[in-house]
Amino acid sequence: MRRSRVVAVLAAGGFAVAGCSAPGPAEVTFYADGHTINVAPIGNCDIKSGVCAANPGATGKLKVRPGRSVQISVPKEIAETPWKVTVQYVNGKGEPQPLKEDIITSRDRYAYTATPPAKDDQIVVVEIAQASVISRTGDPNDAEAVTTALWSLQVQPA
């Protein structure tokens, strides 16, 4: 009987340790035209260790009708850092339009809505870039923002 208690305690301890593994990279949620998708980063770098990982297969895909917006929701890990939204459109004739970029630095904004400029414009790509501010010398005057993670949504016309 004593042996079975020891085995049970060890087994429970194994589950507890397995549950303590580091969480994966943050996901961004995209919502458009009645559909939602959670997307992992296609690229992610740890500034402290200098280790980067690429995952091009993480690109999200959603079907969206022309003129429809794409709503973006980011988790706390992204909202509390500077992040940038880049949106690529085509007009009603399928001609690429200038990129729209917005940089979010408020550190408390968790959502963004990308809206096409005209009712027949089609969003084709939405990307979220997370930044970290670093200084190579330790002097805050030479600090610069570097992209540490990137999420991508490819829009398919519906």
Side-chain angles (χ1 to χ4, degrees):
M1 177 112 162
R2 182 174 177 175
R3 183 173 180 213
S4 62
R5 274 196 240 162
V6 171
V7 171
V9 169
L10 289 175
F15 287 131
V17 171
C20 291
S21 62
E27 291 186 340
V28 171
T29 302
F30 295 95
Y31 172 82
D33 221 357
H35 302 284
T36 302
I37 187 170
N38 293 330
V39 178
I42 61 172
N44 189 23
C45 293
D46 182 336
I47 291 293
K48 293 176 185 166
S49 70
V51 175
C52 294
N55 185 9
T59 299
K61 293 183 170 92
L62 277 179
K63 290 186 178 183
V64 182
R65 292 177 286 172
R68 298 293 178 144
S69 299
V70 173
Q71 296 173 347
I72 302 149
S73 178
V74 300
K76 182 178 180 178
E77 303 94 305
I78 299 169
E80 290 182 345
T81 65
W83 53 289
K84 179 173 77 170
V85 179
T86 303
V87 183
Q88 181 181 0
Y89 305 91
V90 294
N91 64 16
K93 297 176 185 176
E95 302 165 332
Q97 300 300 298
L99 295 177
K100 180 180 180 188
E101 295 181 325
D102 280 319
I103 297 173
I104 315 299
T105 59
S106 64
R107 298 186 183 252
D108 65 352
R109 187 164 171 191
Y110 290 78
Y112 181 92
T113 301
T115 303
K119 66 179 181 172
D120 61 344
D121 289 349
Q122 174 75 56
I123 295 175
V124 292
V125 177
V126 180
E127 290 187 335
I128 305 299
Q130 181 181 28
S132 292
V133 179
I134 63 168
S135 169
R136 297 185 198 284
T137 65
D139 180 354
N141 293 321
D142 73 355
E144 60 182 292
V146 295
T147 299
T148 53
L150 183 66
W151 295 261
S152 183
L153 174 72
Q154 304 295 312
V155 174
Q156 301 165 336

